[in-house]
Amino acid sequence: MSIGPEGAERIDWRSVLPAGFRWPDRIRAAACFTFDLDAESPILFDHPESAGWLDVMSHQAYGPRTAVPRLLRLLDRRGVRATFFVPGYTAKRWPAAVRAIRDAGHEIAHHGYLHEGARSAPDLATEEARLLRGFDALDRVAGVRPVGYRAPNWQLGYATPGLLAKHGFRYDSGLMDADHPYHLAVSGKPDAPTIVELPAHWSLDDWEPYNYLPGITGSGVIASPADVLARWTLELEALVDEGGLFMLTNHPFVSGRASRVAALETLIERAQAIDGLWIATAEEIAAWVAGLPLTPVVHVPPPLPERPW
Ligand SMILES: [Zn+2]
């Protein structure tokens, strides 16, 4: 039986954890600190002409040039292994930064080639070509074969999970319909193979509160790291109470600035002080979840009603 919008099974609303879900012994929740090493790639994809804009390119270069070393020092100080989602283009342009991340013992995962949103792909073959180009770049630069995927802009089509399974990915991180990891059926069929989904959310992404590039992205309101720390701490503590996964998505060019790293360090200290909170890489969490007896979640597109609406 599968969990889907057809309502195939009853909802057990008294249970906090999904049926079959548990964390390892003495663990009651998990936290995963992730960094999307976008650098220039998302701006170049949306605005190819920006390759000639030194001001904008320098804003993006802050990530690999200045922030990555600072973040690696922070993670080393706190003894935390993180997951870095790296577009293939970034790996080729900033190979030393990517190799430093690898050599520091962090997980490197797939994040497209030029940060291409799935909705920009005319067909599945294009999506697949981008995936392969990303694999090739990460292999050439860092000699890694990622097992995890985070879609650029978190854009996934209904056929994307099937492509991920075809190319050996064990998890995706970015769907937003759960607080706990789950088994994601890679097609709309209940007996389809599964990969692990590690859900995320915009509220735990640093782009929204911090990032501002005039005329390109952001509201122009740049939040104080104290405010961001407060909101992320609230979510962390609430998700621990729910036995869920705190999946934080940061971008080095955004969150690698000095006061933001200081706030992130405070957050990590608070997380490390929580009894029973497992801080791990996405790969480690996915490996645990893959072994659980979970009923797969099947995603099917909602049928549109007949017009007129
Ligand atoms: Zn990204």
Side-chain angles (χ1 to χ4, degrees):
M1 198 187 319
S2 63
I3 303 171
E6 304 300 320
E9 58 183 38
R10 289 155 55 104
I11 292 174
D12 179 11
W13 55 268
R14 294 182 192 279
S15 172
V16 174
L17 294 180
F21 190 91
R22 64 184 180 86
W23 293 110
D25 288 347
R26 294 184 290 283
I27 297 296
R28 57 187 175 120
C32 185
F33 293 91
T34 69
F35 299 90
D36 296 1
L37 189 58
D38 290 352
E40 300 95 337
S41 61
I43 311 300
L44 287 176
F45 184 71
D46 290 335
H47 307 275
E49 66 277 19
S50 71
W53 302 344
L54 173 58
D55 53 324
V56 171
M57 291 298 102
S58 78
H59 181 269
Q60 301 308 112
Y62 187 87
R65 174 169 287 140
T66 304
V68 163
R70 180 179 294 138
L71 289 166
L72 292 179
R73 290 194 296 275
L74 160 66
L75 295 168
D76 183 58
R77 267 198 308 281
R78 301 309 313 173
V80 168
R81 285 183 66 228
T83 298
F84 286 76
F85 293 91
V86 181
Y89 179 86
T90 298
K92 289 178 86 166
R93 185 160 163 81
W94 299 95
V98 175
R99 290 180 193 129
I101 291 165
R102 176 201 63 191
D103 294 345
H106 302 290
E107 178 191 1
I108 292 178
H110 200 301
H111 196 43
Y113 185 75
L114 193 61
H115 207 277
E116 313 91 340
R119 287 198 276 282
S120 69
D123 49 40
L124 205 57
T126 304
E127 271 195 68
E128 187 167 32
R130 293 167 172 176
L131 269 186
L132 294 174
R133 204 173 177 192
F135 271 132
D136 181 65
L138 292 176
D139 181 33
R140 284 171 189 259
V141 169
V144 296
R145 173 79 183 187
V147 299
Y149 181 71
R150 172 169 288 159
N153 300 335
W154 283 327
Q155 289 182 9
L156 247 66
Y158 280 86
T160 310
L163 268 186
L164 300 181
K166 175 182 174 184
H167 291 286
F169 286 103
R170 292 189 216 132
Y171 74 86
D172 168 74
S173 177
L175 295 180
M176 301 195 181
D177 54 338
D179 298 320
H180 299 81
Y182 61 82
H183 290 182
L184 166 64
V186 303
S187 77
K189 297 179 185 136
D191 59 350
T194 63
I195 60 174
V196 170
E197 174 59 35
L198 303 175
H201 189 250
W202 294 111
S203 62
L204 290 176
D205 185 317
D206 61 351
W207 193 293
E208 300 1 317
Y210 283 149
N211 199 16
Y212 176 50
L213 265 171
I216 295 177
T217 187
S219 66
V221 178
I222 297 176
S224 159
D227 293 341
V228 175
L229 173 62
R231 79 171 76 156
W232 287 350
T233 300
L234 282 173
E235 188 68 6
L236 170 66
E237 292 172 348
L239 278 173
V240 168
D241 287 342
E242 296 290 323
L245 169 64
F246 177 82
M247 171 60 76
L248 188 68
T249 299
N250 280 338
H251 301 75
F253 80 87
V254 179
S255 279
R257 297 205 169 251
S259 65
R260 298 170 184 174
V261 170
L264 179 60
E265 181 152 20
T266 302
L267 181 71
I268 290 175
E269 286 171 350
R270 290 177 182 176
Q272 290 179 320
I274 295 174
D275 188 42
L277 179 65
W278 182 29
I279 300 174
T281 65
E283 180 179 9
E284 291 168 328
I285 294 169
W288 167 260
V289 172
L292 296 175
L294 301 177
T295 302
V297 173
V298 179
H299 293 287
V300 292
L304 288 168
E306 286 182 23
R307 289 179 184 272
W309 294 346

